């Protein structure tokens, strides 16, 4: 009898286990999803580069520009605070700008300005570059791993017909306040 019970429950248990494991898979690499302990912010590193040089960071934000060079790509980022999954939040808060040096080629049509990117790597110093005519000190990160986030879909408000009235709406043509019971 136990043998029949085992065979009867084997398929549902295996299906539930497979479904549970599939739900745990996010597609986001662990160094992007999980922040390193004692993570400094870009403005803290900019203030004291020698203290943080060589430390591992996980930063993200919005791409400002992409410059492909012979061996690597420099991505200029406007930093944003990261959410629990490592994705940059939709906010105007920023800790400044930083440069992400990614080995290899990144297509500027895909890694376009305004896209959200999270990088994980080591602090490699400060590089001064102009933002307009202002000389700006960028913290440079040598990227070990990066994740380009999908474009966020805009939130659409539901459509309400102007001709539909709720019977309990105070201005309903039949059940409004002017109706005397």
């Amino acid at each position: 009898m136990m043998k029949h019970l085992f065979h009867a429950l084997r398929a549902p248990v295996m299906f539930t286990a497979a479904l549970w494991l599939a739900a745990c898979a996010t597609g986001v690499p662990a160094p992007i999803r999980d922040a390193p302990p004692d993570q400094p912010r870009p403005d803290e590193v900019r203030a004291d580069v020698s203290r943080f040089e060589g430390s591992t960071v996980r930063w993200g934000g919005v791409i400002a520009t992409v410059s492909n060079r012979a061996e690597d790509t420099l991505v200029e980022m406007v930093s944003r605070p990261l959410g629990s999954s490592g994705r940059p939040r939709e906010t105007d808060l920023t800790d400044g700008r930083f440069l992400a040096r990614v080995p290899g080629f990144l297509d500027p049509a895909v890694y376009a300005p305004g896209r959200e990117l999270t990088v994980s790597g080591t602090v490699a110093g400060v590089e001064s570059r102009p933002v307009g005519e202002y000389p700006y000190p960028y913290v440079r990160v040598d990227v070990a791993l990066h994740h380009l986030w999908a474009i966020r879909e805009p939130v659409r408000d539901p459509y309400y017909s102007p001709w539909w009235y709720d019977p309990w709406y105070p201005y309903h043509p039949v059940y409004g306040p002017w109706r005397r019971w």
Side-chain angles (χ1 to χ4, degrees):
M1 173 140 164
M2 288 298 283
K3 187 175 182 180
H4 295 294
L5 181 63
F6 175 74
H7 286 297
L9 291 177
R10 183 173 57 181
V13 168
M14 294 299 282
F15 177 74
T16 304
L19 189 64
W20 182 72
L21 288 174
C24 292
T26 63
V28 179
I32 298 296
R33 192 176 54 244
D34 304 323
D38 301 327
Q39 159 119 339
R41 295 188 326 260
D43 57 346
E44 293 174 336
V45 174
R46 190 177 305 106
D48 189 8
V49 178
S50 60
R51 179 175 157 213
F52 294 106
E53 195 158 1
S55 61
T56 302
V57 294
R58 178 194 70 158
W59 292 341
V62 178
I63 297 173
T65 62
V66 174
S67 304
N68 282 300
R69 303 186 305 182
E71 282 87 33
D72 57 17
T73 302
L74 273 181
V75 182
E76 182 182 326
M77 303 282 300
V78 178
S79 74
R80 295 281 196 272
L82 301 179
S84 60
S85 66
R87 184 174 189 151
R89 293 186 179 148
E90 288 186 295
T91 180
D92 287 336
L93 296 176
T94 182
D95 292 321
R97 294 180 176 220
F98 66 94
L99 290 173
R101 190 181 68 78
V102 181
F105 174 79
L106 295 181
D107 192 341
V110 177
Y111 291 79
R115 293 287 305 266
E116 295 174 324
L117 180 71
T118 303
V119 300
S120 177
T122 56
V123 176
V126 172
E127 186 176 318
S128 184
R129 296 175 144 223
V131 176
E133 293 183 19
Y134 183 80
Y136 190 86
Y138 288 88
V139 176
R140 194 180 47 176
V141 177
D142 288 337
V143 175
L145 191 64
H146 67 282
H147 185 76
L148 183 67
W149 297 92
I151 297 172
R152 295 180 196 253
E153 290 294 323
V155 177
R156 290 183 254 163
D157 291 334
Y159 172 75
Y160 294 106
S161 170
W163 308 111
W164 183 82
Y165 291 100
D166 184 357
W168 292 276
Y169 185 69
Y171 303 108
H172 191 278
V174 176
Y175 302 108
W178 48 83
R179 168 102 188 218
R180 299 191 192 254
W181 295 97

